[in-house]
């Protein structure tokens, strides 16, 4: 059954509401039922730093200044987890609606975890440039947070399709009053993040403490050097290693230092 919550967005895009809190918890949303948690706090800090960077990009009228691309070097470093929780933090603390976009066509992708498989989304836009974008956004129980599922490629009429970067640019322009967070695949294993890097005004590069190799990180950063602002988000870092974050001497962009702790052991 669809969940209908009152959403006070004022005049704006029409949204269908069908993502439940249980779906979001399944996808990794941190739910703080008993007060604030360290992990939640780390995301709030990272989101506020990211918000400052986004605001600068928007004020400077940069190309897709309202867009953040989330990637990493390798699979399973925490991209989708970070994208979801950063998007939720940005939505809760900022004044702009946030659209979390699934751009990673893999098994158990964010859309699947959110129980949104089969819903039209980003790939449908690449097949049909005339699609009404407002109708594709899905509301969530988090105030001001919306999701654009991955969707599926459909048969395109001649000259009706558009490339992935063009579709993302169209989204950025259409939702110019929103912030867009795109969950993508790993740079060293998929091509989409590097294809989208020139479009994104800022990239959040998730680095898994004690696992991401420095040489791989440098290779990945080289692939996205077209993006002017890259923030490193260190995930799953344990207490003693906290200073290890600074060991990455990447000076081409910004650092985020959320020090997200490792997943709790069950
Ligand atoms: N700091 C963290 N605390 C708790 N759980 C985490 C943390 N980081 C990641 N996880 C969990 O680890 C698993 C892998 O994370 P996630 O799916 O976000 O990785 P990914 O980089 O998106 O992977 P892929 O490349 O396959 O898309 C998920 O179950 C996620 O919920
Ligand atoms: Mg993922």
């Amino acid at each position: 059954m669809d969940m209908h919550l009152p959403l006070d967005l004022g005049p704006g895009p029409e949204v269908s509401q069908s993502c439940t809190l249980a779906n979001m918890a399944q996808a990794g949303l941190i739910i703080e039922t008993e007060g604030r948690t360290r992990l939640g706090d780390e995301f709030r800090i990272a989101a506020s730093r990211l918000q400052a960077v986004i605001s600068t990009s928007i004020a400077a009228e940069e190309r897709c200044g309202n867009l953040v691309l989330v990637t990493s070097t390798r699979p399973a470093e925490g991209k989708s987890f970070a994208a979801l929780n950063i998007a939720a933090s940005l939505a809760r603390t900022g004044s702009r609606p946030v659209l979390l976009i699934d751009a990673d066509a893999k098994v158990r992708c964010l859309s699947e975890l959110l129980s949104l498989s089969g819903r039209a989304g980003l790939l449908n836009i690449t097949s049909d440039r005339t699609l009404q974008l407002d109708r594709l956004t899905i509301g969530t129980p988090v105030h001001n947070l919306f999701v654009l599922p991955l969707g599926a490629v459909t048969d395109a009429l001649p000259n009706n399709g558009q490339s992935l970067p063009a579709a993302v640019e169209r989204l950025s322009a259409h939702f110019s009053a929103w912030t867009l967070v795109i969950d993508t695949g790993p740079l060293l294993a998929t091509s989409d993040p590097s294809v989208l890097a020139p479009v994104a005004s800022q990239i959040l590069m998730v680095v898994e403490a004690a696992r991401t190799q420095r040489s791989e990180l440098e290779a990945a950063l080289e692939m996205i050097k077209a993006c002017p602002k890259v923030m490193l988000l260190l995930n799953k870092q344990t207490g003693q290693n906290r200073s290890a974050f600074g060991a990455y001497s990447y000076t081409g962009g910004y650092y985020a230092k959320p020090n997200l702790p490792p997943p709790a052991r069950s």
Side-chain angles (χ1 to χ4, degrees):
M1 191 177 71
D2 284 1
M3 191 161 169
H4 293 280
L5 293 173
L7 286 165
D8 180 21
L9 280 179
E14 189 181 317
V15 288
S16 70
Q17 298 167 36
S18 64
C19 197
T20 67
L21 200 57
N23 297 148
M24 302 192 76
Q26 173 174 272
L29 181 73
I30 300 163
I31 297 173
E32 298 176 316
T33 44
E34 291 171 13
R36 292 163 78 121
T37 60
R38 179 179 151 206
L39 192 52
D41 281 340
E42 300 282 13
F43 272 112
R44 277 184 280 274
I45 294 166
S48 99
R49 289 179 184 173
L50 183 58
Q51 182 61 67
V53 176
I54 297 167
S55 299
T56 307
S57 304
I58 293 170
E61 297 183 7
E62 287 177 14
R63 182 185 183 192
C64 296
N66 60 342
L67 189 99
V68 185
L69 186 142
V70 182
T71 188
S72 76
T73 61
R74 295 277 176 201
E77 291 180 298
K79 295 175 288 298
S80 302
F81 180 79
L84 174 62
N85 284 292
I86 283 279
S89 258
L90 287 171
R92 287 187 188 114
T93 54
S95 52
R96 299 161 64 92
V98 176
L99 184 62
L100 173 62
I101 302 171
D102 184 4
D104 189 13
K106 54 162 269 215
V107 179
R108 303 288 292 158
C109 64
L110 197 55
S111 304
E112 197 182 325
L113 292 171
L114 290 168
S115 298
L116 297 176
S117 305
R119 301 289 295 260
L122 179 63
L123 296 181
N124 299 76
I125 301 168
T126 64
S127 304
D128 182 357
R129 68 173 76 199
T130 64
L131 268 188
Q132 280 196 36
L133 303 182
D134 297 340
R135 294 187 174 276
L136 302 178
T137 58
I138 293 171
T140 76
V142 177
H143 178 67
N144 264 353
L145 178 64
F146 301 83
V147 177
L148 180 70
L150 182 67
V153 174
T154 58
D155 288 337
L157 293 169
N159 303 320
N160 208 23
Q162 59 187 159
S163 67
L164 189 60
V168 165
E169 277 203 80
R170 188 177 156 219
L171 282 163
S172 168
H174 184 84
F175 294 102
S176 60
W178 296 33
T179 297
L180 276 51
V181 177
I182 307 192
D183 178 37
T184 68
L187 272 160
L188 302 185
T190 54
S191 59
D192 288 344
S194 48
V195 166
L196 289 174
V199 173
S201 207
Q202 42 267 315
I203 291 181
L204 197 62
M205 169 78 93
V206 177
V207 176
E208 186 175 351
R211 184 163 162 245
T212 307
Q213 300 293 312
R214 184 185 176 125
S215 57
E216 292 191 339
L217 179 61
E218 284 171 352
L221 289 171
E222 181 66 23
M223 292 170 80
I224 54 169
K225 65 180 179 196
C227 174
K229 296 168 199 163
V230 178
M231 296 176 67
L232 303 187
L233 185 94
L234 194 62
N235 191 18
K236 304 184 193 174
Q237 189 175 31
T238 51
Q240 318 86 304
N241 291 336
R242 283 185 157 238
S243 65
F245 182 79
Y248 295 114
S249 59
Y250 179 61
T251 54
Y254 294 78
Y255 288 114
K257 196 175 179 184
N259 293 321
L260 305 181
R265 307 244 177 265
S266 49

